[in-house]
């Protein structure tokens, strides 16, 4: 398994492989870039098929955090952690997260962890018994998901404004893939704004509950791409915009909270050629990390006001992409790199 020659390696400052025999912890922490400040990024727990799959994920996700934090205007770098484990089969979850906390602590504050897919604020609270370098704890900034949902909702509104010239979502059809922590709150915002929802999830029971709460239609997971909708909102896992799914899309807009939505950068170009407006994932889903950045002396009003800036940031990216006739993802990357390099210490 190559690291420095890995296709997703992007001058990451540190890649730390963590193993604790007693708890069974197997984790990788990637600190991508700390030019703007300590690296912030959640800890994902997933039943990866291979170590290489986990490495690819952590390298890509940590780079995304650097770009996300830069474009959100935060004095924070980018990092991420992945724990290689099956969340459903965990003999001693507390021991695992204490061991994880000890590894985070050894990094001495160059990386701050938080919850992500497969982990919860409760897990991070346990890690915090071993290290102060964690964020998003209950009683402080708390669960980031409602803020990620707010930012995603405002990002969808910015895309609708730019592409369809409308301020309201009334009567627009939105297909949401994944009604988990973020997807659920996003559905609430969309429903309150008058959107008609088409939902899918791999958990039929929660899907039925959410659909009934928001008067939504449900479809099978594979059917979500081909729905005749205005907006497709990927809110599950990454790489759902790929060679198989793009030909199926009928939506005019792709805007959702999932990380790493484009399987490859060229899919951003392909969306542009199809006339689909793509809201770059790490810009639209920055609401949670923006809220976390207010962890010390938490002030919800200030955090919310900063999350609301996502609307304007996306409009700027969309307009610049039109002006330069380039994919929105490329424009976002370029803007982020300018911020990161301009403030190099
Ligand atoms: P979550 O695990 O709570 O929700 C994900 C949902 O997607 C689950 O309900 C799951 O059953 C469903 N799902 C998984 N595979 C699916 C498939 N193939 N088809 C349909 N549904 C599927 O996670 P979350 O916290 O809501 O995060 C969702 C996405 O947003 C992730 O990509 C995450 O990295 C990203 N994100 C989350 C936050 C946050 O604040 N939680 C912040 C930024 C980005």
């Amino acid at each position: 398994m190559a690291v420095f020659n890995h296709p997703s390696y992007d001058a990451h400052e540190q890649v730390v492989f963590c193993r604790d025999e007693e708890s069974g912890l197997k984790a990788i922490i990637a600190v991508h870039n700390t030019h703007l400040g300590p690296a912030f990024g959640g800890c994902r727990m997933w039943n990866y098929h291979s170590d290489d799959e986990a490495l690819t994920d952590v390298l890509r996700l940590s780079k995304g955090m650097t770009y996300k934090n830069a474009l959100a205007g935060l004095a924070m770098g980018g990092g991420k952690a992945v724990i290689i484990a099956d969340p459903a089969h965990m003999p001693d979850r507390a021991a695992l997260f204490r061991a994880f906390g000890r590894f985070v602590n050894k990094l001495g504050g160059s990386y701050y962890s938080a919850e992500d897919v497969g982990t919860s604020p409760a897990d991070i609270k346990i890690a915090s018994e071993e290290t102060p370098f964690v964020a998003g704890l209950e009683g402080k900034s708390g669960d980031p998901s409602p803020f990620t949902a707010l930012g995603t909702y405002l990002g969808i509104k910015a895309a609708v404004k730019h592409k369809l010239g409308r301020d309201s979502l009334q009567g627009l059809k939105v297909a949401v893939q994944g009604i988990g922590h973020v997807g659920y709150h996003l559905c609430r915002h969309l429903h309150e704004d008058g959107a008609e929802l088409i939902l899918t999830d791999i958990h039929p029971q929660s899907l039925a509950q959410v659909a009934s709460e928001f008067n939504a239609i449900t479809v099978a997971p594979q059917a979500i791409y081909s729905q005749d909708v205005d907006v497709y909102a990927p809110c599950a896992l990454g790489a759902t915009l790929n060679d198989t799914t793009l030909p199926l899309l009928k939506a005019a807009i792709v805007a959702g909270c999932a990380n790493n939505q484009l399987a490859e950068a060229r899919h951003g170009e392909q969306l542009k050629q199809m006339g689909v407006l793509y809201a770059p994932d790490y810009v639209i889903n920055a609401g949670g990390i923006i809220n976390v950045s207010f962890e010390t002396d938490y002030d919800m009003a200030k955090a919310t006001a900063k999350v609301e800036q996502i609307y304007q940031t996306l409009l700027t990216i969309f307009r610049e992409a039109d002006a330069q006739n380039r994919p929105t993802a490329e424009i976002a990357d370029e803007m982020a790199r300018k911020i990161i390099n301009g403030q190099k210490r």
Side-chain angles (χ1 to χ4, degrees), residues 88-277:
H89 299 98
M90 191 119 309
D92 189 344
R93 197 170 172 114
L96 194 93
F97 279 93
R98 270 195 294 274
F100 175 69
R102 287 194 291 276
F103 280 108
V104 171
N105 202 48
K106 282 183 192 169
L107 291 174
S110 63
Y111 167 67
Y112 280 69
S113 199
E115 64 118 24
D116 193 68
V117 174
T119 64
S120 67
D123 296 324
I124 301 305
K125 172 104 178 57
I126 290 167
S128 79
E129 291 168 15
E130 304 285 346
T131 180
F133 306 125
V134 292
L137 295 175
E138 296 290 0
K140 292 194 174 176
S141 69
D143 182 2
S145 305
F147 294 88
T148 305
L150 173 64
T152 305
Y153 160 65
L154 295 171
I156 290 174
K157 282 183 83 76
V160 165
K161 173 79 178 168
H162 186 77
K163 182 82 182 167
L164 308 177
R166 293 179 51 158
D167 286 313
S168 159
L169 303 185
Q170 187 68 41
L172 290 186
K173 290 189 176 142
V174 183
V176 182
Q177 179 187 43
I179 42 91
H181 289 106
V182 182
Y184 170 79
H185 292 287
L186 175 64
C187 287
R188 182 170 44 79
H189 288 298
L190 295 171
H191 177 68
E192 285 169 3
D193 205 342
E196 291 175 27
L197 300 180
I198 292 137
L199 311 179
T200 196
D201 200 283
I202 49 172
H203 292 301
Q205 207 177 342
S206 34
L207 180 61
Q209 275 170 12
V210 176
S212 111
E213 188 173 343
F214 301 122
N215 201 17
I217 295 168
T218 64
V219 295
Q222 278 313 315
I224 198 74
Y225 305 104
S226 56
Q227 294 303 306
D228 194 0
V229 292
D230 301 286
V231 181
Y232 161 54
C235 298
L237 294 178
T240 64
L241 300 168
N242 54 47
D243 291 338
T244 311
T245 59
L246 288 198
L248 302 174
L249 283 188
K250 296 196 183 89
I253 292 165
V254 174
C257 72
N259 278 311
N260 295 336
Q261 292 171 29
L262 301 171
E264 294 173 43
R266 68 184 167 85
H267 294 114
E269 171 66 40
Q270 200 176 328
L271 282 167
K272 177 183 164 293
Q273 281 167 10
M274 290 163 60
V276 177
L277 180 63

